[in-house]
Amino acid sequence: MYPENTLLAFEKAAELKNLEGIELDIQLTRDGEMVVIHDERVDRTTGGCGFVKDFTLGELKRLSINAGENGTQRIPTIGEVFDLLDGRLRGGISLKDGMRLNIELKNSVYPYPGMEEKIVELVHKRGLEKAVVYSTFYAKSLERLKELDPEAELGMLDTKVSDCLYKLRGGCGAAALHPYWRGMDLSAEEVRGYTVRAWFSGHLYPEKPTGTKLDLGDLERQGITDVFLNEPERYL
């Protein structure tokens, strides 16, 4: 209903009761600022053209994201997201009505040296360590995050759950498996005891709502414990 990785989308999601958390993606600008955007290029989601890494923060802030009847959005910094969600995230640390933030480091294509240090430092500065889960497709990045914060919760991203588990067992420091929902190539028994957060692709704004609902019971029987959905309001 709202453009991905925007303050508008995060605000609307945070209004939903019983939401377990919000997932977003971070990358680094040319001047080393952490911005929230999924693609390595800005072409699909903004009116601009080029790689995120080649823009300064100021240049990215001048790009427009069309939010339809909700006007125009801008690429946010992770700090702006923390400002917006601070109350809900702190509730996730000690209260029942809180939620968590899953921060995916988009560094499997461009490694963005120093991004792990920057995000861990900011999370600790904000006192939100218990409200954050880090994930990435890049196992060495998880290793670095674990070195920086041994208590951090890490999720290993990959397409197949077997590949997630293989990398997890390789010592990257992850405790959770984050496979594609159609990549459950292990039995529920083989992943028992692990948090398995399955992600979905497609159905991105401004596509029309699907009009259908997944059988979450069937996903649970496969061993999936959590799901990343673009239509959480249909399930809560």
Side-chain angles (χ1 to χ4, degrees), residues 122-164:
L122 182 59
V123 168
H124 280 253
K125 183 178 179 180
R126 298 273 184 150
L128 295 172
E129 304 95 296
K130 300 298 183 182
V132 168
V133 176
Y134 302 101
S135 64
T136 173
F137 284 85
Y138 188 27
K140 289 186 69 66
S141 180
L142 292 185
E143 289 180 356
R144 182 58 183 148
L145 287 166
K146 198 67 172 179
E147 292 173 358
L148 294 166
D149 182 1
E151 302 301 316
E153 182 176 350
L154 309 179
M156 188 69 248
L157 273 161
D158 213 308
T159 303
K160 294 181 179 180
V161 72
S162 61
D163 289 332
C164 293

Side-chain angles (χ1 to χ4, degrees), residues 76-120:
T77 65
I78 188 62
E80 290 172 328
V81 176
F82 283 148
D83 289 340
L84 175 69
L85 301 178
D86 186 81
R88 285 297 306 274
L89 294 175
R90 293 193 187 283
I93 296 173
S94 59
L95 303 175
K96 292 182 179 180
D97 62 346
M99 68 178 193
R100 308 182 76 193
L101 194 66
N102 186 138
I103 300 174
E104 179 184 344
L105 283 71
K106 294 291 292 188
N107 53 7
S108 58
V109 176
Y110 300 106
Y112 292 118
M115 184 159 66
E116 293 88 354
E117 287 82 355
K118 286 176 180 290
I119 189 59
V120 169

Side-chain angles (χ1 to χ4, degrees), residues 194-205:
Y194 290 102
T195 295
V196 181
R197 301 185 180 100
W199 49 273
F200 295 72
S201 63
H203 184 56
L204 299 174
Y205 182 88

